[in-house]
Amino acid sequence: MAILAIAVPVPLRKTFNYTYAQPVELGVRVQVSFANRPLVGVVVGCVNSIDEIPLEQQGDPNKYKPIDAVLDDTPMLSQSWLSLLHWLASYYQHPLGEVVQTALPNALRKPQSSQPTLINVLALSPTLQAINVPGNDITQTVPFIHLKRAPKQFALACFVAAKTQSGTVDSLTKDEVKQHFSSALINALIKKEILIESQHQLTSGCWFDRVGAEHFAHIAELPANVEQSVAISGISAQLNQFSCFLIEGITGSGKTEVYLQVINKVLQQRQQVLILVPEIGLTPQTVSRFESRFGITVGVLHSGLTDTERLVVWQQARLNQIGIVIGTRSAIFTPLPELGMIIIDEEHDDSFKQQDGLRYHARDLAIMLAQKQGIPIVLGTATPVLESLHRALTGKFQHFKLEQRAGNATVAPVHLIDICQQPLHYGLAPATLDVMQSHLSQGNQVLLFINRRGFAPAVVCSSCGHVEDCHACDKPMTYHKTQSRMVCHQCLAQASAPHHCSVCGASELITQGIGTEQLEQGLNELFPQYSTIRIDSDSMRGKHTLSQTIEAVNQRKHQILLGTQILAKGHHFAHVTCVVIMDVDGALFSADFRAPEKLAQLITQISGRAGRADKPGETFLQTTQPGHPLLQDLVNNGYGHFARFALHEREQAALPPFTYQVILRAEDESPQRATQLLQFARHLLTNMQNISTIGPVPCLIEKKQTRHRYMLIIQSPYRNLRQKVLDTIIDDYAKYANKLRVRWSIDVDNIDFN
Ligand code: ADP
Ligand code: ZN
């Protein structure tokens, strides 16, 4: 009889012992009954006798239950993944069972035996396949000649024929083909019996053998400029060992080209590559750039996939059937047995940090993974976070700078427009309207950034001054005119737009402040001769809307683009020569010490979206604080200078990255109970050397969904010490929280105080 330690997905900080007739490999999924519920757990320990289990983990052997079923023939999680997950659980103080579950795709979290993964494949019909041999030009055969009247179908047939001619592969995955041809075309050729579709069982293999070494001899690269060459040769010289590289390169400096050239070297070593990108950056354009460079199937993982689609990519990666995986945050959990390099593009992006449950940072986890595997990791951005910059400046990361735009384009200078005492039209100052007009009349495009969705951030009664609040959050609700609704941007509660004040009944309600909807209306009024397009999460619903809109912008169907954060990420607009940034002064006065850093990143990223060689751009920032030292530094000296100075200030103030923080949050309908829990934690930490606490204080989002939110900030100059201290208090703390029935969470290396 074997005793198995099972990581069960429950919020308890321990594993559970079960029995089974014979030993089970670690990393295999099993079905167990837990509190009378069937759950999927993962075997993380297996011994033959209770004497091999440490006393404190033994529990009562008489209560060990047999597991209900073994779900996998082979481990779904490798030994090295399990050890990384143990690290993850302890670093982020999160229950191992939940961490292990996070690492599995949804489809494997259900109590079902793993089925062979089936993928749809396409091949030439058997008769065509028989004559599609090297030396024989199949395009000259009758069925192909007939096809020439339908050039797209002909191209598709040639594509499949060319890829399957050498005989190493006799079929292509349908996904691979769909990246180049539409489903309608594929179906047309299936109907004509030129192609046949079938299902293949995914087995372990080697993606490299499918394409062959010869394939890589024909990959065309751009001739790298001097700065790019330094980075490429520096990284290439250190493959097969752990090192972390930071590429600090202005937007358009050719970072992606550097990634592509070093990835090429890794692929040629028959290894796999993982690329993480921010959610919104994952457009078809990004993926197609990698695909067209290497001509191999790229596994794509993002939040829009179904469970089955996700599982297929996960299994293809695990079985070494694909060489490249590109994905957003959770793609870090893709098992890649031959992983040779990790790239984190736009490493500053907040979307890499999970903000609920297991609050991990994908960048930090990636660095740990690279270290364990002994492989390089490359972080790239125009605006490194101060944590990364600090490590680069102190030699922990190797640092490359790309300061020239590839192809001689220049960076847009930033100008401040003072809006104090100015008559504003829809939030726009006369000087702003002038520069917009001048760029538009030269046939160029203008991009406006505003941080607020909706029509107006508040509706106020002009008679009694009452503001329509969200009852659950005590915050003004945003008026969305198109849907005629009030929406709480914090908890997403909705109500219909009011016609009368809910307190005094007066019917004169006025809106305060400006959101994207109102600005759109204003721009249509102010610039009726130009087409304005709004790009925010309300207007960009649907899978392809964003990429279609961006294409329309690049085809100059619109002249004025206005939008939110979405515009700051990844996309490049060659015809935009004027960028206007509105309404960001709030960040200058925020209680969050990271607000200036985030603001500087935002301004730099947005201004980087514009211009190209023959059409340099310029950025205008409307502000009531033109003399503010942060803005002055950024405008005059750029992000790099600003960031180095900001680091100096952080050091003076003993803030991260010079100290390590963690925050405990507590939420409850009773503010007293929430603070009582945090006081308890604070009490546990008193008189500990080199550990300091701040709080309990309200979180920056003080109330959400009727719960009052408080936090205790814990900091230490030593990362290890912080870890040790958390290890010692966490169980008592969790117990006390249970007793008080207060909701709580722990956020190690928090990136905000919300
Ligand atoms: P980044 O990732 O830093 O924003 P990209 O790699 O996307 O920059 O490069 C910006 C543009 O410059 C792209 O159109 C790219 O094709 C081009 N480019 C990059 N490197 C070179 C080079 N060495 N020579 C010519 N063009 C280049
Ligand atoms: Zn609310």
Side-chain angles (χ1 to χ4, degrees):
M1 186 74 90
I3 304 170
L4 309 177
I6 312 284
V8 182
V10 291
L12 296 170
R13 288 156 199 282
K14 55 190 276 211
T15 57
F16 296 86
N17 294 326
Y18 284 82
T19 58
Y20 192 57
Q22 66 220 45
V24 180
E25 269 187 274
L26 305 192
V28 161
R29 297 176 310 131
V30 294
Q31 183 180 328
V32 297
S33 149
F34 189 92
N36 296 322
R37 279 187 305 150
L39 289 181
V40 174
V42 170
V43 180
V44 295
C46 176
V47 292
N48 289 315
S49 135
I50 191 156
D51 304 332
E52 296 172 61
I53 304 175
L55 203 59
E56 70 277 10
Q57 288 167 25
Q58 283 181 4
D60 180 356
N62 297 320
K63 291 194 179 153
Y64 293 176
K65 277 182 287 182
I67 60 167
D68 296 340
V70 174
L71 300 176
D72 304 318
D73 302 334
T74 53
M76 286 295 118
L77 297 169
S78 66
Q79 295 278 354
S80 61
W81 258 110
L82 284 178
S83 100
L84 194 69
L85 297 176
H86 275 285
W87 172 82
L88 197 58
S90 85
Y91 187 78
Y92 290 102
Q93 301 292 338
H94 201 80
L96 181 67
E98 291 188 349
V99 171
V100 168
Q101 193 186 41
T102 307
L104 292 171
N106 247 332
L108 295 181
R109 298 177 190 173
K110 300 181 185 121
Q112 283 165 3
S113 301
S114 48
Q115 305 291 329
T117 308
L118 297 175
I119 49 167
N120 293 325
V121 296
L122 293 168
L124 292 180
S125 71
T127 22
L128 287 171
Q129 212 167 328
I131 55 171
N132 185 33
V133 289
N136 189 13
D137 187 355
I138 194 169
T139 62
Q140 299 304 325
T141 58
V142 177
F144 273 70
I145 291 169
H146 278 308
L147 272 184
K148 281 194 179 166
R149 268 167 288 151
K152 284 187 176 167
Q153 293 184 15
F154 180 70
L156 167 55
C158 291
F159 178 82
V160 178
K163 293 246 179 186
T164 53
Q165 191 184 43
S166 71
T168 38
V169 289
D170 53 15
S171 60
L172 303 174
T173 69
K174 194 174 183 185
D175 280 341
E176 185 175 353
V177 181
K178 265 165 77 180
Q179 273 148 13
H180 306 275
F181 301 94
S182 71
S183 300
L185 272 182
I186 296 173
N187 290 337
L189 285 196
I190 293 173
K191 218 168 160 195
K192 291 187 180 170
E193 293 179 2
I194 296 205
L195 294 184
I196 49 165
E197 180 174 10
S198 55
Q199 289 200 316
H200 264 198
Q201 187 173 324
L202 207 57
T203 52
S204 183
C206 173
W207 68 271
F208 188 88
D209 292 339
R210 280 175 65 97
V211 294
E214 169 69 4
H215 173 88
F216 286 95
H218 307 294
I219 288 174
E221 298 183 326
L222 296 172
N225 64 29
V226 175
E227 291 178 326
Q228 287 174 321
S229 301
V230 171
I232 293 164
S233 50
I235 298 167
S236 308
Q238 296 172 69
L239 305 183
N240 307 314
Q241 67 186 69
F242 170 66
S243 11
C244 187
F245 301 93
L246 174 66
I247 303 181
E248 185 181 9
I250 59 170
T251 37
S253 60
K255 294 183 289 295
T256 311
E257 183 60 32
V258 173
Y259 306 153
L260 287 163
Q261 298 201 16
V262 293
I263 288 171
N264 191 3
K265 302 215 159 60
V266 177
L267 294 174
Q268 289 195 46
Q269 298 195 57
R270 311 171 68 95
Q271 290 175 314
Q272 297 171 297
V273 177
L274 174 66
I275 303 155
L276 296 189
V277 296
E279 181 69 61
I280 208 74
L282 193 67
T283 57
Q285 288 94 320
T286 321
V287 176
S288 68
R289 213 166 147 190
F290 286 87
E291 273 172 350
S292 60
R293 173 65 59 93
F294 298 115
I296 59 174
T297 313
V298 170
V300 183
L301 290 170
H302 56 83
S303 58
L305 299 182
T306 64
D307 286 354
T308 316
E309 289 170 330
R310 181 169 283 270
L311 179 66
V312 168
V313 177
W314 197 86
Q315 293 287 30
Q316 283 178 310
R318 188 177 75 87
L319 298 168
N320 196 20
Q321 292 281 17
I322 45 178
I324 302 180
V325 171
I326 301 184
T328 50
R329 181 178 63 230
S330 64
I332 186 62
F333 292 108
T334 315
L336 294 152
E338 299 296 329
L339 186 60
M341 177 178 281
I342 307 174
I343 310 256
I344 315 272
D345 191 28
E346 309 292 358
E347 69 92 31
H348 65 277
D349 198 276
D350 282 350
S351 71
F352 290 125
K353 173 82 162 47
Q354 172 133 321
Q355 294 287 43
D356 55 17
L358 170 62
R359 292 168 175 258
Y360 69 98
H361 202 302
R363 177 191 57 225
D364 298 341
L365 176 55
I367 293 173
M368 202 57 180
L369 173 62
Q371 196 169 352
K372 283 206 187 250
Q373 305 273 311
I375 57 167
I377 172 167
V378 181
L379 314 180
T381 175
T383 54
V385 293
L386 297 190
E387 282 78 359
S388 299
L389 185 64
H390 177 58
R391 287 167 165 187
L393 296 176
T394 52
K396 282 196 189 124
F397 291 176
Q398 294 179 56
H399 196 184
F400 295 110
K401 285 203 251 176
L402 306 182
E403 294 179 312
Q404 306 297 319
R405 270 197 167 178
N408 291 328
T410 50
V411 181
V414 182
H415 310 284
L416 301 178
I417 292 181
D418 185 354
I419 55 167
C420 289
Q421 326 249 324
Q422 296 289 310
L424 300 181
H425 303 273
Y426 292 97
L428 297 165
T432 313
L433 294 173
D434 285 349
V435 290
M436 287 175 65
Q437 182 62 57
S438 116
H439 280 265
L440 288 168
S441 52
Q442 287 169 43
N444 295 320
Q445 291 171 330
V446 173
L447 182 158
L448 286 102
F449 170 85
I450 177 163
N451 222 344
R452 275 201 221 101
R453 289 182 296 118
F455 188 84
V459 172
V460 186
C461 169
S462 65
S463 172
C464 76
H466 170 74
V467 180
E468 294 296 333
D469 273 345
C470 166
H471 298 304
C473 303
D474 294 347
K475 274 271 157 61
M477 291 182 103
T478 300
Y479 174 44
H480 286 248
K481 193 174 184 177
T482 352
Q483 299 121 300
S484 188
R485 295 193 77 72
M486 303 294 283
V487 180
C488 172
H489 282 193
Q490 217 162 267
C491 74
L492 306 179
Q494 293 203 13
S496 50
H499 298 290
H500 303 279
C501 171
S502 59
V503 171
C504 76
S507 57
E508 278 81 55
L509 300 179
I510 49 171
T511 61
Q512 226 159 51
I514 288 177
T516 46
E517 279 184 10
Q518 188 172 170
L519 187 59
E520 179 184 25
Q521 179 183 318
L523 290 165
N524 284 330
E525 250 167 58
L526 293 163
F527 298 98
Q529 67 276 44
Y530 299 107
S531 159
T532 294
I533 176 88
R534 169 160 64 95
I535 303 180
D536 59 22
S537 54
D538 298 321
S539 68
M540 292 296 128
R541 299 244 160 94
K543 220 171 174 181
H544 299 296
T545 326
L546 180 62
S547 49
Q548 278 161 6
T549 307
I550 285 167
E551 205 168 305
V553 168
N554 285 331
Q555 291 166 358
R556 314 173 83 151
K557 293 193 177 138
H558 310 284
Q559 291 75 48
I560 304 176
L561 298 63
L562 97 101
T564 52
Q565 234 77 343
I566 299 184
L567 291 178
K569 301 191 180 190
H571 311 289
H572 191 84
F573 303 104
H575 305 294
V576 169
T577 55
C578 173
V579 174
V580 175
I581 302 175
M582 305 169 64
D583 237 356
V584 287
D585 283 355
L588 297 172
F589 308 106
S590 168
D592 182 347
F593 67 84
R594 280 191 182 81
E597 176 192 351
K598 296 278 161 226
L599 177 60
Q601 286 164 357
L602 182 74
I603 295 172
T604 311
Q605 290 290 343
I606 298 170
S607 42
R609 301 299 127 214
R612 58 172 196 201
D614 55 331
K615 277 188 192 170
E618 49 183 348
T619 297
F620 298 89
L621 179 68
Q622 291 200 151
T623 177
T624 58
Q625 309 291 319
H628 196 286
L630 155 70
L631 294 181
Q632 284 295 330
D633 189 17
L634 190 64
V635 167
N636 295 324
N637 309 314
Y639 182 83
H641 187 276
F642 157 82
R644 283 156 181 81
F645 183 72
L647 261 181
H648 179 69
E649 284 187 338
R650 294 269 185 94
E651 185 166 20
Q652 302 291 310
L655 286 168
F658 298 91
T659 185
Y660 297 92
Q661 286 191 340
V662 48
I663 59 181
L664 288 170
R665 292 186 179 86
E667 301 179 17
D668 200 86
E669 306 215 330
S670 140
Q672 286 76 23
R673 262 207 309 271
T675 44
Q676 189 183 343
L677 174 62
L678 296 174
Q679 291 288 6
F680 176 77
R682 189 183 171 140
H683 176 73
L684 293 175
L685 294 165
T686 41
N687 299 328
M688 286 202 188
Q689 258 191 353
N690 287 313
I691 295 283
S692 57
T693 55
I694 303 168
V697 288
C699 299
L700 293 189
I701 294 177
E702 290 183 37
K703 194 179 170 199
K704 188 171 173 181
Q705 287 174 312
T706 74
R707 284 188 295 273
H708 296 267
R709 307 173 72 252
Y710 284 82
M711 63 181 165
L712 181 72
I713 305 169
I714 306 168
Q715 55 181 26
S716 169
Y718 308 105
R719 196 198 284 263
N720 289 345
L721 177 72
R722 179 190 65 177
Q723 172 89 35
K724 243 197 233 152
V725 164
L726 293 177
D727 289 346
T728 53
I729 68 161
I730 200 78
D731 284 336
D732 290 342
Y733 180 77
K735 265 188 212 134
Y736 193 64
N738 245 347
K739 194 173 137 201
L740 289 181
R741 293 170 174 273
V742 169
R743 249 187 206 233
W744 67 282
S745 64
I746 182 163
D747 194 352
V748 176
D749 301 329
N750 59 298
I751 60 167
D752 62 35
F753 299 94
N754 291 339

